[in-house]
Every structure is written in structure tokens, then in C-alpha cells.
Amino acid sequence: MKSEYKSWFLNNILDKEFTQVYIPSKNYGRKYKFYNFSRKEVPFDNKFFMYLSEFIGMPDFDYDCYHIHKWDEGDYFNEHIDDRANRIFSYVCELKESECKTKLIVENTLTEENWFDIYTKHYVPKIKQGQRISLTVFGKKIKQKSLV
């Protein structure tokens, strides 16, 4: 992802109120904060869509928003898949690395930017120091319009 896009997200979350998520469970347990930018709020949305289409090699998809996740010390997301809500893929990009350099792990691979299908297992280990900020875009099937 272009550094100017990363900078835009990081600069534009400074005054946003994030929503806390905390589900202490062995299955899909998680703790983090998130904020969603609608596509209309992001001035480079069309350029990003073109970039994402080329990056994943698929032009026939849609997405609703840009999910920004803040991972503070002690935050995590246990291993899970993203199979829900008409999704077909997940695109992830680290916007800011934590001091402890904790990364998203996708199929045993440390990940800074990538995409994967909704059945791919992935997780974020507990953040030990600093704050990690990441972007997730959930690609979904384009809804077919009906004549009825």
C-alpha cells in the first residue's frame, strides 16, 4: 500500500472515537479497538480499489468500509477465519508497527500486507509493548440486482 495512504489513515484517526471489543474466550477470543471509515470518507477510495484489484488479481468484488484496528499492550485476536457476511477475502495491512514488532500471523507466516480467502486461519498474538495499528478490508460478493 502506498505510504501516503497509510499516512492518511494514521493522521485521520487521531480525533476518532474507537469502539472497544473484548471477548475473553478460548474460541475466537479477542481484545482490540476499531474504527470504520466509510468509503465516501476516504479521498483515494477509487485509487485504492484499483490498487486492491490489481494486488489480489480480482476486479469483481465490493467492500463497505475500511476497518482500522488499534492493538494496545495486552490486546490480541485468537486464531479464527473470516467466513461470514457474504465475504470472499480479507485484505490486511499494518499501518504502524508495535514496539515489540508483533505481527498478524497468517498460516504461520508473519504478515505486514497480504490478502487471503475467508477460510484461512490467522491471528494476532498478544501485544507485549507499544501499539500496533492495522487496516482490514473485507472483500465481498457484488450483490446482483433483481428486476423484481
Side-chain angles (χ1 to χ4, degrees), residues 37-39 45 48-49 52-53 56 58-67 82-91 115-119 136-145:
F37 283 104
S38 72
R39 292 186 65 179
D45 177 67
F48 180 81
F49 179 83
L52 188 55
S53 295
I56 67 171
M58 175 184 12
D60 198 21
F61 65 90
D62 196 10
Y63 54 96
D64 295 325
C65 64
Y66 297 84
H67 300 276
D82 293 333
D83 177 24
R84 60 189 161 283
N86 201 30
R87 294 176 183 170
I88 53 176
F89 71 85
S90 299
Y91 165 81
W115 73 277
F116 44 88
D117 72 39
I118 58 171
Y119 303 106
T136 301
V137 172
F138 295 110
K140 63 180 190 172
K141 296 175 189 171
I142 296 175
K143 292 182 182 175
Q144 301 297 322
K145 294 185 180 179

Side-chain angles (χ1 to χ4, degrees), residues 3-15:
S3 62
E4 64 192 71
Y5 299 169
K6 289 182 180 183
S7 294
W8 186 91
F9 284 117
L10 291 171
N11 290 331
N12 283 275
I13 61 171
L14 296 174
D15 64 345

Side-chain angles (χ1 to χ4, degrees), residues 22-83:
Y22 182 45
I23 302 172
S25 169
K26 286 184 179 182
N27 298 324
Y28 303 122
R30 66 199 80 167
K31 183 180 179 203
Y32 60 86
K33 295 181 187 90
F34 76 92
Y35 180 81
N36 293 335
F37 283 104
S38 72
R39 292 186 65 179
K40 291 178 183 178
E41 292 177 273
V42 177
F44 50 86
D45 177 67
N46 288 336
K47 290 180 183 177
F48 180 81
F49 179 83
M50 298 299 287
Y51 166 77
L52 188 55
S53 295
E54 188 175 311
F55 187 79
I56 67 171
M58 175 184 12
D60 198 21
F61 65 90
D62 196 10
Y63 54 96
D64 295 325
C65 64
Y66 297 84
H67 300 276
I68 307 297
H69 294 91
K70 275 188 187 177
W71 308 88
D72 294 318
E73 290 180 23
D75 288 358
Y76 66 97
F77 201 140
N78 287 346
E79 187 173 73
H80 64 285
I81 60 174
D82 293 333
D83 177 24

